[in-house]
Amino acid sequence: MKIATWNVNSIRTRKDQVWQWLQTNEIDILCLQETKVIDKDFPRSGFEELGYNIYIYGQKAYNGVAIFSKTPLDAVHFGFSDILNTEPSQNFDEQKRVLTGIINGIAIVNLYVPNGSSIDSDKYNYKLNWLNHLKDYLKLLLTQTEKICICGDFNIALEDIDIHNPKGRENHIMASDAERQALQSILELGFKDGFRKFTPEGGHFSWWDYRQASFRRNTGWRIDTHYLTLPLHEVASSSIIDKTPRTWEQPSDHTPVILTVEMP
DNA sequence: ATGGCCGTAACCTACGGA
């Protein structure tokens, strides 16, 4: 089973590229982030013709997540509060960033983690609080299944080798200590990076800034990936970053990451 | 150098992104 994640930076602008990519890659489950569209305007039709069941959780202009699945999902949970009933300090579901699908006893958690803007901003604190809430959500999910794949745009480069140039990273959004610790604390629930099972060295990135010819110079960051509980990590057989869509005209600033797991 | 580039909303500019 191939599970892909792709921050498309607007599904309406990128729909032809996503369609083209799905034509040439046999993807069972595609998790999209930053769809940037309300549900009634989501461009479903071409993808349904490819045989996908479409699950969407969007809002106007910002954020938005979606899951395409060749096999219908057994259950879908929209946002944190759909299953996490504890009262959060703030309503984290105002921003549409979490969509979970259950298939064959596996929970696929599609995430668009807040960017955080800069480390001295209110958005940075929101990001840290959001990650803390995500940890509670995953703790609950772990009581329901031992097979969880969390994937998406984490907006955090966990290690220095995930950044083209880690100099000054302590004060940089996506690489500060508090963000890394918040994510590390989540991973300590029992998750391992699928991509790192096969590729231990640095220099592999999933996002390149639109400015400064970053893609041509390969000055990127690896912030999109899959984190797997051990029963899934053990059966993962490959993970690759497909840079091809980033070479196309008018691309997303992110490129897709594919994880393959061998199902019994 | 607090920007560059891109998408959205909505209106010729602001915002959010990373």
Side-chain angles (χ1 to χ4, degrees), chain A residues 2-3 6 54 65 88 130 143 159 170 175 179 192 243:
Chain A
K2 288 188 188 297
I3 305 166
W6 192 1
I54 311 281
V65 282
W130 191 95
T143 68
E159 299 181 282
E170 293 88 349
E179 295 167 74
K192 295 181 78 171
K243 290 170 73 171

Side-chain angles (χ1 to χ4, degrees), chain A residues 196-247:
Chain A
R196 282 284 173 239
K197 177 176 180 180
F198 309 100
T199 310
E201 78 280 1
H204 298 274
F205 309 124
S206 64
W207 171 82
W208 299 261
D209 198 307
Y210 283 123
R211 296 166 290 189
Q212 296 179 313
S214 297
F215 184 66
R216 181 178 58 75
R217 299 190 297 127
N218 198 28
T219 54
W221 295 58
R222 195 178 72 90
I223 55 177
D224 306 86
T225 194
H226 308 72
Y227 293 110
L228 312 168
T229 53
L230 296 189
L232 277 181
H233 192 266
E234 284 167 4
V235 296
S237 57
S238 82
S239 181
I240 64 121
I241 298 171
D242 184 2
K243 290 170 73 171
T244 307
R246 192 63 177 78
T247 70

Side-chain angles (χ1 to χ4, degrees), chain A residues 39-177:
Chain A
D39 293 349
K40 78 174 180 61
D41 291 339
F42 194 100
R44 290 174 163 270
S45 56
F47 303 113
E48 287 171 338
E49 285 166 16
L50 289 178
Y52 286 99
N53 300 274
I54 311 281
Y55 306 88
I56 53 182
Y57 188 49
Q59 68 180 84
K60 185 177 177 180
Y62 302 118
N63 310 311
V65 282
I67 299 176
F68 297 175
S69 178
K70 286 269 170 146
T71 304
L73 299 175
D74 298 323
V76 186
H77 304 298
F78 299 86
F80 289 121
S81 61
D82 208 351
I83 56 173
L84 187 62
N85 294 316
T86 57
E87 193 63 37
S89 55
Q90 48 199 309
N91 180 9
F92 288 108
D93 285 339
E94 283 181 359
Q95 301 180 16
K96 309 307 182 196
R97 298 177 175 277
V98 182
L99 184 59
T100 295
I102 313 293
I103 182 164
N104 299 329
I106 303 169
I108 310 286
V109 181
N110 179 14
L111 297 178
Y112 176 46
V113 176
N115 169 272
S117 190
S118 63
I119 64 168
D120 56 0
S121 70
D122 291 343
K123 292 190 177 73
Y124 182 73
N125 284 321
Y126 182 87
K127 182 179 193 174
L128 297 177
N129 292 335
W130 191 95
L131 287 164
N132 197 40
H133 197 60
L134 172 63
K135 185 177 180 181
D136 290 341
Y137 179 80
L138 293 173
K139 276 185 196 167
L140 179 80
L141 209 53
L142 279 162
T143 68
Q144 300 179 5
T145 177
E146 62 178 5
K147 294 179 183 172
I148 302 179
C149 166
I150 57 178
C151 64
D153 176 1
F154 288 84
N155 269 319
I156 296 171
L158 198 57
E159 299 181 282
D160 286 354
I161 58 171
D162 297 321
I163 313 172
H164 66 93
N165 177 11
K167 188 170 177 289
R169 65 95 190 152
E170 293 88 349
N171 296 316
H172 198 295
I173 197 64
M174 301 190 292
S176 68
D177 287 335

